[in-house]
Amino acid sequence: MSDKRFTKDHEWVSVTGTTGIVGISDYAQHALGDVVFVEVPDAGRVLAQGAEAAVVESVKAASEVYSPVSGTVIAGNQAIVDQPGLVNESAEDRGWFYKITLSDPSELGALMDRAAYDSYLKTLE
Amino acid sequence: MTETNTISGNRGLQVEEPLIFEMGCEGRSGVDLPDPAPVDLDRLGGVPRRGKTGLPDLSEPQAVRHYTRLSQKNYGIDTGFYPLGSCTMKHNPRLSEKVARLPGLADLHPLQPQQTVQGALEVIHTLAHWLKELTGMPAVAMSPAAGAHGEWCGLMAIRAAHEDKGEGYRRRILVPESAHGTNPASAAMCGYSVESIPAKENGRVDLDALKAKLGPDVAALMLTNPNTCGLFESEIIAIAQAVHGVGAYFYCDGANFNAIVGRVKIADLGIDTMHINLHKTFSTPHGGGGPGSGPTVLSAALAPYAPVPYVIESAGGLELVEGARAGTKPFGRVKGFHGQFGVFVRALAYILSMGSDGLRQASSDAVLNANYLLACLKDVVSASFDGPCMHEALFDDRFLKESGITTLDFAKALIDEGYHPMTMYFPLVVHGALLIEPTESESKETLDQFIAVVRGLAARARTGEAEGFKAAPRLTPRRRLDETLAARTPVLRWKP
Amino acid sequence: MRYLPLTESDRSLMLAAIGASDVDELFCDVPAAARLDQPLALPRHQGEMEVERAFTRMAGKNLSAGCAPFFIGAGVYRHHIPAAVDQLLLRGEFLTAYTPYQPEVAQGTLQVLFEFQSQVAAITGMDVANASMYDGATATAEAVLMACRITKRNRAILSGGLHPHYLETVETSLRYTEISADVLPPDPLGFEDLVGRVDSSTACVVVQNPGFFGGIRDLGPLAAICHEAGALLVVMVAEPTSLGLIQSPGAMGADIVVAEGQSLGMGMNFGGPGLGLFATRDKYVRQMPGRLAGQTLDVDGKRGWVLTLSTREQHIRREKATSNICTNSGLCALAFSIHLTMLGGTGFGKLAELNHAQAVMLEQKLKAVKGLKVLPQSYYNEFAVHLGDEVNAAQVVDKLAAKGVLGGVPASRFYPSWPELAPVLILAATETNTDDDMDRLVAALKEVL
């Protein structure tokens, strides 16, 4: 089991070996409201940390998903493209956005763990 | 609430109406045309239409009833009070409609020889004269088709002026965080990057924060004044000086010019360019979303870059200039032909009707009405800023705290009371915004009734009737519509 | 003043409620240096009679199209508009409503827009259309920007058969962007080679059909070449009634269709407002600019309409929006839609046949004018003519006007620096022309040439 690491922009990444799974946090899906559209990156795309990787839209808001880590995309999650509501139902599990091969695992050190993210969320209230 | 079920699905004047595509029946027509002489289709480049268009056939009585019924599902200013902040929903004079339909103005082609359209050019020229006098600015580009189009026009003139001076490296535009979304979008279309500047506690631009962001790479400040919180930017002259101090220009979003016509001279505020929404300030119909018209006034520094075409006085009368003329460097053309002429006629009819005295009185009444609403509501609805406000009053959702009722619910409850809601969730700088713009068209009696209704709803909200608010509106042709469904599974046209 | 309901006594009572002694106090935030304390030196208010008189006087200085044999087109066309159209437009619930942001009280406007979108998609042969843009020129510029977003390429090829105002508007829109445009020279004979210019850097080819000089072309081969190169084909239709008789751009392979909708419902109004039509394929809908109405259900399960896919737009996306456009041309879209509803499929086809037949008859009658040559091989209701090598078409048009005939537009009005176009005149005929109009044009031409 891997632990999730979070960004201040509410992305998470969960890493096993050098493979990461990226999504948006439950807080983020709640803030957006009903998700109606997502765009996920194609396999093979090379992303730098912080680069625009995906798009998520609700009825009244649109937001970019920034890659929490650098690497090469393995696959986007077609399930959320077909059924965007999955992001609301299961943001931190089945509603993941893409899988990525990390090129620099040391980047993870700068991301927040769950406890740090939770206290960060408290500062936003 | 008890519902009367009917066999037809209609309920009195609330009549169900299908799509035209569901009513058509081949063999009818709403237009009688002469039979064309038979012609060979070999003049059609080898591509005559094959197959039907799929348009339904209806007779005139069916068409007239269809659109009449649809109109009855709409709320307009003619229907009632429409306090939609930032949109300026004031009475649309019917004289304007009448004169716009005079054949000598309506049945004119834009490319007729100029000697045959001197009266039309006079309309444009006279309106331009009024706009220049009312703002104190030396020039105006008449052709922009709407407010956002005027913003883009003003920024294009700014970019052209900087490029001409060899200062094309200026690529940053500063925009307050309370701005209309069109401001950053227009800036992006001119190749600019956009940076947001914060507001102070009192809802005005933070001059120190602005100064900190100014530099030699800034092209312009875009500032709405009166701003989107309904407040006059009291430090505007100092703002203009700071902007000019670094060689940047000052773009003013004139969406709220209606608050200050005849009371403030724009040129004296240090503004370089500003668009004017004729459909707001000068009462031309909004028509369910256009057409607008956004003439853009320009300072002497920017005037040479004004787009074509424009009207000048020449020896032979009025002349429409459609290309570059000596001493000018037009940045181009923003649309086909000469601007929203039909809107010009209506706006000029309003202006001539009101006159300089009436325009000034209208601004005064608009501001008085807004302050009256603010004064009569602020003890029960949380006002975001102390008065005085200009033409609109901004409230937020603090008064709904703990009630379980949102700004949206509150607005929907107003619909059942017979009002069009105020603007909601804009500007973004306060939480759950409710922006109320009464305009000068409303009588004290109308305002007093509205005040009583809002106070009544606020009292109900306090006593915890969330369910009633959540279920509103109940009395409209359709109740709350599922926007998530519409966006997740878009159905954007009729299909057989 | 008739538009202002407040009385002096209302004003006093209201000021008292506010706690201000004078309305000037409410303007206290205005810097003293910019305050106007007196009305400006401009005329004072007037009654309806006086204002109407002023407009009647200005209208009287114009030669309106209905008072002359009239053959001007070039992007604005004079058609008969059924009387019901204007009567319905004047219903206050349509005229005085705002953008339908509150769908429960705007189902009328929203259903009209949904029907309008469906009509536009049907006549252009496309999957989906938006709720309209400002006009044909700005819609064309938006189409180029959209094609560049989709293809992620930065080069547009613009046909020389494109209306010069559309060309100028596109070039102006691109002026400070990364996009460059290859603009082909004016093409009165329809000989330009677009196919040979398309390559893997091309974002789109923009072509008008029928062209500015009247010619019609089969766009199928061009569409195929574009698609092979990964480019989009943008087709502009300046005269939408032509779609009743000519194969739709969609059927010929267009990816984006833009059009000027003025011909239906709106009248000429000295060129504005116009109505930009904008249609595309389903797969590109999220890159489309402008407003969209969509179907949905209300909480009671009844069918209704809302504005949808708004995240493309400036009020949400701000500087990342597909366009800065905020309005559509709502009332013009309504006029267009009512006119098309009254025509129906049958009437739309018949109107187009009638227009074409009128142009064919005009060509026949013009054979009597010595030295005049019709330039395009094919046409719908408009064609360019060459009046003879030494003839200046602009002077001819002025002389015709002096005789009370509005006889077309000289090409030189758009192309002052192309001397070879000086003898070229563009003439249009529609269902509004009578045989007598045509005879008077021919007679007047014979006299002035």
Side-chain angles (χ1 to χ4, degrees):
Chain A
M1 263 317 280
S2 63
D3 287 330
K4 288 192 172 66
R5 314 285 291 187
F6 295 85
T7 68
K8 286 190 170 180
D9 295 320
H10 311 289
E11 294 91 8
W12 55 262
V13 56
S14 153
V15 179
T16 314
T18 56
T19 302
I21 301 178
V22 175
I24 65 169
S25 71
D26 197 54
Y27 172 89
Q29 73 76 16
H30 190 74
L32 279 166
D34 287 347
V35 173
V36 298
F37 175 75
V38 292
E39 205 174 83
V40 296
D42 293 329
R45 198 164 133 204
V46 178
L47 294 169
Q49 188 179 33
E52 288 179 13
V55 174
V56 54
E57 295 184 3
S58 65
V59 171
K60 302 279 185 211
S63 169
E64 271 73 34
V65 176
Y66 300 101
S67 193
V69 287
S70 305
T72 305
V73 175
I74 301 167
N77 183 2
Q78 190 59 35
I80 60 168
V81 174
D82 298 337
Q83 207 189 325
L86 208 51
V87 178
N88 296 114
E89 285 165 33
S90 180
E92 298 193 13
D93 185 16
R94 286 176 300 135
W96 57 275
F97 276 62
Y98 59 94
K99 289 185 182 164
I100 185 167
T101 303
L102 274 62
S103 57
D104 181 5
S106 73
E107 287 170 350
L108 293 169
L111 303 181
M112 291 175 276
D113 63 13
R114 169 78 66 185
Y117 181 64
D118 283 346
S119 32
Y120 168 66
L121 292 182
K122 289 215 171 69
T123 67
L124 301 181
E125 278 166 8
Chain B
M1 194 181 75
T2 52
E3 264 207 40
T4 310
N5 289 318
T6 57
I7 298 164
S8 59
N10 302 332
R11 295 171 65 202
L13 281 176
Q14 281 190 25
V15 184
E16 293 296 310
E17 183 63 10
L19 292 164
I20 48 169
F21 295 90
E22 296 160 344
M23 315 163 57
C25 172
E26 208 170 311
R28 294 181 178 131
S29 176
V31 181
D32 290 319
L33 293 166
D35 289 319
V39 289
D40 294 333
L41 299 182
D42 56 3
R43 279 296 211 181
L44 294 178
V47 284
R49 176 175 267 282
R50 288 187 283 271
K52 293 182 187 298
T53 51
L55 298 174
D57 286 351
L58 276 76
S59 61
E60 175 171 322
Q62 291 175 299
V64 168
R65 187 172 291 164
H66 176 72
Y67 290 102
T68 302
R69 286 179 166 195
L70 290 188
S71 75
Q72 291 174 327
K73 298 175 195 294
N74 260 13
Y75 193 101
I77 312 160
D78 289 359
T79 316
F81 186 41
Y82 209 127
L84 195 62
S86 169
C87 300
T88 313
M89 299 303 286
K90 54 171 144 175
H91 173 67
N92 299 136
R94 291 313 195 270
L95 176 66
S96 302
E97 295 303 314
K98 185 178 181 186
V99 297
R101 285 166 171 76
L102 291 171
L105 297 172
D107 197 17
L108 290 185
H109 193 287
L111 302 172
Q112 288 181 211
Q114 294 196 16
Q115 282 314 309
T116 68
V117 291
Q118 286 293 305
L121 298 180
E122 187 179 334
V123 168
I124 299 176
H125 194 58
T126 308
L127 178 60
H129 175 72
W130 274 88
L131 297 179
K132 288 186 284 187
E133 288 295 314
L134 289 172
T135 56
M137 301 288 276
V140 59
M142 294 297 287
S143 52
H149 206 214
E151 290 173 19
W152 174 71
C153 172
L155 291 179
M156 288 292 286
I158 287 172
R159 177 96 193 243
H162 277 143
E163 297 277 346
D164 201 30
K165 286 195 281 188
E167 296 177 16
Y169 52 81
R170 293 177 180 270
R171 295 293 171 82
R172 288 168 62 218
I173 296 272
L174 306 180
V175 180
E177 52 195 11
S178 60
H180 297 110
T182 49
N183 288 181
S186 299
M189 290 180 80
C190 296
Y192 287 126
S193 66
V194 180
E195 281 170 53
S196 177
I197 42 175
K200 291 187 296 188
E201 284 287 299
N202 69 1
R204 273 86 171 181
V205 164
D206 184 334
L207 182 57
D208 292 330
L210 168 68
K211 283 180 176 165
K213 292 222 174 201
L214 284 171
D217 56 347
V218 170
L221 167 72
M222 294 183 89
L223 178 66
T224 308
N225 185 52
N227 69 25
T228 58
C229 301
L231 302 170
F232 197 93
E233 290 285 353
S234 41
E235 292 185 293
I236 190 164
I237 291 178
I239 289 171
Q241 283 166 351
V243 169
H244 292 152
V246 297
Y249 290 106
F250 182 4
Y251 182 89
C252 181
D253 180 326
N256 296 334
F257 185 44
N258 58 301
I260 54 175
V261 178
R263 301 207 59 122
V264 176
K265 210 151 194 174
I266 294 301
D268 295 343
L269 299 173
I271 286 163
D272 294 292
T273 171
M274 178 181 91
H275 79 264
I276 299 168
N277 303 81
L278 296 184
H279 49 291
K280 292 174 162 185
T281 301
F282 299 114
S283 273
T284 72
H286 284 77
S293 181
T296 302
V297 290
L298 299 163
S299 63
L302 296 179
Y305 306 97
V308 292
Y310 49 86
V311 177
I312 58 170
E313 289 171 28
S314 70
L318 294 173
E319 184 189 343
L320 183 75
V321 179
E322 298 179 282
R325 200 167 50 101
T328 69
K329 300 169 182 173
F331 70 74
R333 163 181 284 281
V334 301
K335 71 183 290 293
F337 309 106
H338 326 316
Q340 305 284 66
F341 181 76
V343 183
F344 297 165
V345 176
R346 290 167 174 85
L348 184 59
Y350 171 82
I351 285 173
L352 295 182
S353 294
M354 296 296 278
S356 58
D357 51 336
L359 291 170
R360 181 182 160 89
Q361 188 64 55
S363 306
S364 307
D365 283 0
V367 170
L368 178 61
N369 277 354
N371 278 285
Y372 183 63
L373 284 179
L374 180 63
C376 297
L377 290 175
K378 68 179 174 189
D379 58 325
V380 293
V381 183
S382 37
S384 303
F385 303 103
D386 284 338
C389 60
M390 299 304 286
H391 61 301
E392 55 197 353
L394 179 62
F395 300 88
D396 52 53
D397 63 4
R398 282 172 296 154
F399 79 107
L400 295 171
K401 210 167 182 186
E402 313 296 328
S403 70
I405 296 162
T406 63
T407 291
L408 181 77
D409 300 328
F410 195 82
K412 297 297 185 194
L414 271 173
I415 293 178
D416 276 340
E417 297 287 346
Y419 294 102
H420 194 283
M422 59 287 277
T423 290
M424 293 178 284
Y425 303 107
F426 181 85
L428 307 174
V429 290
V430 300
H431 198 270
L434 301 100
L435 185 63
I436 303 181
E437 179 176 10
T439 83
E440 71 277 12
S441 300
E442 300 304 333
S443 65
K444 181 170 177 295
E445 297 91 310
T446 299
L447 300 183
D448 285 337
Q449 194 199 38
F450 178 74
I451 289 162
V453 167
V454 172
R455 294 187 70 92
L457 289 176
R460 262 201 244 163
R462 273 197 307 278
T463 55
E465 284 186 35
E467 285 316 304
F469 282 87
K470 297 279 174 207
R474 298 164 189 268
L475 305 174
T476 41
R478 287 292 178 270
R479 296 181 55 211
R480 284 198 210 185
L481 291 130
D482 188 344
E483 297 190 49
T484 302
L485 173 68
R488 278 190 183 158
T489 326
V491 177
L492 305 173
R493 64 173 292 193
W494 180 84
K495 278 187 187 144
Chain C
M1 253 165 272
R2 61 189 181 276
Y3 307 143
L4 301 178
L6 295 186
T7 64
E8 274 311 320
S9 111
D10 289 336
R11 290 181 184 116
S12 307
L13 289 168
M14 292 164 75
L15 283 168
I18 294 164
S21 59
D22 189 280
V23 76
D24 290 348
E25 273 181 40
L26 304 176
F27 288 86
C28 58
D29 289 326
V30 179
R35 255 179 245 172
L36 283 169
D37 293 324
Q38 293 297 321
L40 290 159
L42 288 161
R44 290 171 57 81
H45 68 277
Q46 299 182 70
E48 283 205 351
M49 274 195 308
E50 293 80 7
V51 175
E52 192 171 340
R53 201 175 287 140
F55 279 93
T56 304
R57 182 189 60 75
M58 287 189 278
K61 292 163 88 174
N62 301 319
L63 175 58
S64 68
C67 298
F70 179 87
F71 297 91
I72 308 178
V76 171
Y77 300 89
R78 185 166 190 262
H79 289 287
H80 171 73
I81 300 166
V85 173
D86 204 44
Q87 303 276 328
L88 289 164
L89 280 190
L90 280 171
R91 286 196 64 93
E93 305 91 328
F94 284 135
L95 189 74
T96 73
Y98 195 67
T99 302
Y101 289 137
Q102 298 294 324
E104 300 91 345
V105 287
Q107 285 295 297
T109 294
L110 285 161
Q111 184 169 337
V112 165
L113 293 179
F114 185 81
E115 292 178 345
F116 168 82
Q117 290 169 193
S118 304
Q119 289 171 316
V120 172
I123 62 174
T124 55
M126 301 300 282
D127 297 332
V128 56
N130 74 11
S132 76
M133 315 289 288
Y134 305 137
D135 70 353
T138 58
T140 307
E142 293 275 12
V144 172
L145 296 174
M146 173 172 156
C148 292
R149 285 195 297 274
I150 291 169
T151 59
K152 299 190 167 67
R153 296 178 184 177
N154 281 334
R155 221 184 103 236
I157 299 172
L158 308 180
S159 158
L162 205 53
H163 191 297
H165 283 181
Y166 305 168
L167 269 177
E168 286 172 37
T169 304
V170 173
E171 288 186 284
T172 303
S173 301
L174 301 183
R175 187 161 174 181
Y176 300 123
T177 69
E178 304 291 310
I179 303 164
S180 64
D182 280 357
V183 182
L184 274 70
D187 181 35
L189 296 171
F191 289 163
E192 71 183 0
D193 173 30
L194 290 167
V195 169
R197 291 174 176 266
V198 179
D199 63 29
S200 61
S201 71
T202 308
C204 62
V205 176
V206 186
V207 56
Q208 182 175 320
N209 206 40
F212 181 66
F213 298 95
I216 299 169
R217 55 180 139 188
D218 180 359
L219 300 170
L222 180 60
I225 295 289
C226 284
H227 296 157
E228 210 168 287
L232 303 190
L233 176 63
V234 177
V235 178
M236 202 297 148
V237 180
E239 169 51 296
T241 68
S242 68
L243 297 172
L245 198 57
I246 301 173
Q247 202 173 344
S248 71
M252 290 193 271
D255 300 285
I256 302 173
V257 179
V258 289
E260 171 53 66
Q262 170 275 331
S263 279
L264 290 167
M266 293 171 56
M268 300 191 294
N269 294 304
F270 202 45
L275 171 67
L277 310 185
F278 200 109
T280 189
R281 304 284 176 195
D282 273 335
K283 61 182 169 184
Y284 300 135
V285 69
R286 285 183 181 273
Q287 288 300 334
M288 184 155 66
R291 227 169 246 163
L292 278 166
Q295 183 176 309
T296 189
L297 299 172
D298 79 351
V299 292
D300 296 330
K302 291 183 181 167
R303 180 176 69 175
W305 286 273
V306 292
L307 292 178
T308 193
L309 303 187
S310 309
T311 46
R312 299 164 299 115
E313 296 181 63
Q314 48 74 28
H315 60 280
I316 293 175
R317 267 262 159 79
R318 300 174 82 88
E319 65 268 26
K320 288 183 176 165
T322 51
S323 166
N324 70 338
I325 194 166
C326 181
T327 55
N328 58 344
S329 299
L331 204 62
C332 308
L334 174 64
F336 179 96
S337 193
I338 299 173
H339 192 171
L340 206 46
T341 294
M342 296 193 66
L343 285 167
T346 308
F348 186 56
K350 191 171 177 183
L351 177 67
E353 278 178 54
L354 194 54
N355 271 262
H356 184 55
Q358 290 283 75
V360 171
M361 190 196 297
L362 180 62
E363 182 183 12
Q364 291 302 323
K365 288 187 187 272
L366 286 170
K367 286 186 174 153
V369 182
K370 224 173 79 183
L372 181 151
K373 275 193 313 237
V374 171
L375 292 176
Q377 295 291 308
S378 57
Y379 56 78
Y380 165 61
N381 67 354
E382 179 170 34
F383 46 72
V385 299
H386 194 280
L387 296 173
D389 286 339
E390 303 305 316
V391 181
N392 180 318
Q395 287 169 6
V396 170
V397 164
D398 286 341
K399 287 180 192 163
L400 292 174
K403 292 176 175 294
V405 174
L406 293 171
V409 192
S412 61
R413 181 150 178 187
F414 302 97
Y415 303 105
S417 51
W418 295 77
E420 62 270 41
L421 293 176
V424 173
L425 177 67
I426 299 164
L427 291 166
T430 72
E431 78 282 3
T432 60
N433 292 117
T434 62
D435 288 4
D436 183 53
D437 287 342
M438 294 192 197
D439 292 336
R440 285 172 65 192
L441 171 68
V442 170
L445 272 171
K446 282 181 177 168
E447 284 170 35
V448 304
L449 279 171

